[in-house]
Amino acid sequence: MHGDASPLSREVVRDLLYQGFQARLLAGGAGMPGDTPVSVDIRTVVMARAMRHSSDGKGDLCCPGHLSPGPMLAFGATPLEFLRQLGRKGTAPAAARSGGRSWTDQRRGLIGWDGPPGTMTQVLAGAALAFAQRGQDRAALVFEEFVATETGGWHEGMNFAAAQSAPLIVVLDMTQPADRAGTGAVDAIARGYGVSAAAVAEEPYPRLFRTVASARRRAVRGRGPTLIAMLPRGEGDPWALHDAFVARALDEAGVSDVEVRAIERAASAGVDHALNRLAREPEAEPHDALVPACAHEVPQPPWTRRVPPEPGWRATGDPRELHDAR
Amino acid sequence: MPGELPRHVTRTREGRPATFLEAIAEALWEEMERDSRVFLMGEDIGAYGGAFKVTRGFLEHFGQSRVIDTPIAEGGFTGAAAGAAHMGLRPVVEMQFMDFISPAYDVLTNYIATSLYRGAGPLPMVVRGPVGGGNRGGPFHSQNVEMAFFHTPGLRIVYPSTAADAKGLLKSAIRDDNPVIFEEHKGLYRAPHCREMLPADDHVVPLGKARVAMEGEDLTIVTYGLMVHHALEAAAELGRDGVRVEVIDLRTLLPLDEDAIVASVQKTGKLLIVHEDTRTGGIAGEIAIRINERAFEWLDGPILRVTAIDSPVPFSGELEDYFLPSVADVVTAGRYLVDY
């Protein structure tokens, strides 16, 4: 553990282990439904877990960005819910009307990622503004790819958040091409808006956790947004960090090897159960899925008439009958 | 609350008639007093009071957390309004001119309009602002924007024609759980003929219900906004020839009160649709096909439309007068239909 690090609580470490194991299985396991690529970065689990999660609609708000199970799990989604979205099931929160990233559960503080890059920074800026207006101890976290900073929309959202000192944390995923621009680009953007900036790399979990937790504290104290550059992983095993954390948990957080294995088994059982359950769940039924979401009644045949032209008129499928009836 | 209330929000409580613009201001004021979740966002709406002074005095009374001056970034602050609406607030976004709504088209159509559909919950928010020509504003301060959004499921579009409706419909729009685009014709804002006594109680006009502005049996004119007044003028002129015109004021374009139009056409057998918006892709086309679907058998003549011509709004007065539909145009089309 780093010298400047205060150890995470044992409870947090156990949660992180559980969610990390599940995220790993969901992202890399066989038999995943759908053809949507699942992006996962174990660091996102840690960052999301550093926010204040609640299931009563009073906690922080998180927009996971890519189709990543990590932040969703950290904000209380279950593997089954995640897989329902991925599998476009009628039981999915959006009833298969929209893609996996659209998963929203405001009670748990999850909001779906929709629109082109930058849109969700705008939306989360407004949500954060609402927290500040009400004096609530809440903050918003949004994951965006660095490419979002190339859009005007992202800058409009960032500018608005900065001007309003909104409690917003924006994690910019520095994909490899973006990383060539360097974290200096993020620093320059942050300076331009007068907001704080930080960078996280393949650092130990506690440091990632503290970086976001610290940004959150600043945010809810009215000190405005923070931009966090999430640097690319190395070329090696993307889960090396996870494995390192398991080792640290064993070594420093007082979690025994027996407990770690029990947590891993529980996580695995949860994912297995979700996969089995998912296979038995129905596909979306068009009428049930679409009609409640339509603003208007769905037109019925014949053609789009909804009112017969005269009392007693019955459609036969022959348009000429209309004239006869008249 | 500090200070004296702005005069333009107290006409009704003083028992005096209000203009269309004052009716808008009263609606905003009353809703902000009634519900602490309601707040305003827009360019220059705070210290400056708005380009048309609708929100003059609001900042001093409600404070800067509820009257937010935004950057000139319509997409960004409309998106932020969506976020606030997600969190239970009820933002009312002012477009300084509705022509400027186009940068927010993306977030309005892709994000806000689809929110309920995507399972992200309702987004109770209003985007309001001045529309329409006749003020020599040229192409970027005179447009009617309704049809840019009419095709988008999930939105509501409101376009009042009277001060009383403006107030009642805006209050309904703010209370509605759906995103509402609320168009206010500049030509009505301070028009003397629009000044009227407003109902003193909590005046709410339901969305989606048209109004029979004039009853008649020979010809139906369906219209909205400033064109209601053109239609009424035309109806008066036709009336001198013994033609009894029924004028339907749509009030709400989305959802469209199809039943009201059908009922009128079933009575008159003749339909003329009038809108200030340009011709191609205008709402007249949609209304015509709906009547074709539901009341074709009752028609005793072709469905006609009087609209602006397919052109950007011209700057010069002569050109704009040619571009806009006139009372004379409505009378001519009406006579043609009656004689058909």
Side-chain angles (χ1 to χ4, degrees), chain B:
Chain B
M1 296 289 183
E4 200 172 306
L5 300 187
R7 291 186 64 196
H8 71 310
V9 302
T10 59
R11 300 295 187 206
T12 302
R13 61 181 88 177
E14 290 169 1
R16 300 168 61 193
T19 63
F20 190 98
L21 185 146
E22 290 163 348
I24 297 285
E26 283 191 7
L28 292 173
W29 189 277
E30 289 176 16
E31 289 306 292
M32 290 181 76
E33 282 195 323
R34 185 188 62 81
D35 186 347
S36 63
R37 297 172 301 171
V38 179
F39 75 104
L40 312 181
M41 302 169 77
E43 295 155 2
D44 297 326
I45 64 166
Y48 188 65
F52 290 87
K53 303 299 180 190
V54 171
T55 53
R56 178 167 41 88
F58 279 59
L59 176 66
E60 292 78 1
H61 189 81
F62 293 105
Q64 60 184 11
S65 68
R66 296 184 69 195
V67 184
I68 299 175
D69 274 320
T70 64
I72 302 176
E74 289 81 3
F77 64 72
T78 304
H86 272 311
M87 293 301 109
L89 298 185
R90 290 185 174 257
V92 181
V93 174
E94 176 177 302
M95 294 288 158
Q96 197 165 66
F97 288 82
M98 271 297 203
D99 311 60
F100 307 160
I101 201 172
S102 48
Y105 183 80
D106 171 33
V107 73
L108 276 165
T109 57
N110 284 322
Y111 189 86
I112 292 168
T114 60
S115 178
L116 194 61
Y117 170 94
R118 290 183 283 105
L123 277 183
M125 58 183 286
V126 176
V127 179
R128 54 158 289 270
V131 295
N135 293 285
R136 314 316 188 205
F140 310 118
H141 296 79
S142 309
Q143 295 172 45
N144 287 280
V145 302
E146 57 269 25
M147 295 311 287
F149 297 96
F150 186 78
H151 194 60
T152 303
L155 296 178
R156 294 179 186 269
I157 303 174
V158 179
Y159 199 149
S161 70
T162 69
D165 274 2
K167 181 172 181 179
L169 287 165
L170 182 53
K171 287 164 78 84
S172 283
I174 292 169
R175 298 177 193 186
D176 199 272
D177 283 337
N178 298 285
V180 179
I181 292 175
F182 195 93
E183 299 189 54
E184 304 157 8
H185 199 290
K186 294 186 287 292
L188 299 174
Y189 266 168
R190 296 183 175 89
H193 68 274
C194 277
R195 189 186 294 272
E196 62 177 312
M197 288 298 302
L198 305 181
D201 54 354
D202 183 24
H203 175 54
V204 174
V205 176
L207 304 187
K209 292 292 178 192
R211 170 179 77 100
V212 179
M214 174 184 273
E215 286 196 53
E217 295 172 357
D218 300 327
L219 167 68
T220 297
I221 299 180
V222 171
T223 186
Y224 55 95
L226 177 70
M227 289 299 113
V228 170
H229 301 274
H230 279 32
L232 290 171
E233 273 190 63
E237 187 166 335
L238 290 166
R240 286 191 277 277
D241 299 337
V243 178
R244 296 160 300 172
V245 177
E246 179 143 303
V247 178
I248 303 289
D249 175 2
L250 290 174
R251 290 170 154 168
T252 302
L253 309 186
L254 204 63
L256 190 63
D257 190 352
E258 194 176 299
D259 289 344
I261 306 170
V262 168
S264 182
V265 170
Q266 287 178 338
K267 183 167 64 168
T268 66
K270 304 279 180 67
L271 175 59
L272 173 63
I273 305 156
V274 180
H275 57 69
E276 187 187 295
D277 194 10
T278 49
R279 186 176 184 83
T280 301
I283 199 170
E286 178 64 25
I287 293 172
I289 190 64
R290 293 199 194 192
I291 292 302
N292 184 53
E293 289 169 351
R294 287 188 53 189
F296 177 78
E297 302 299 315
W298 280 268
L299 285 174
D300 294 321
I303 299 172
L304 295 187
R305 56 183 162 170
V306 172
T307 72
I309 64 171
D310 285 334
S311 159
V313 186
F315 182 58
S316 110
E318 289 78 5
L319 296 184
E320 190 180 24
D321 288 345
Y322 178 81
F323 162 85
L324 291 170
S326 68
V327 175
D329 294 331
V330 180
V331 170
T332 303
R335 284 210 174 102
Y336 175 87
L337 269 181
V338 169
D339 293 342
Y340 187 87

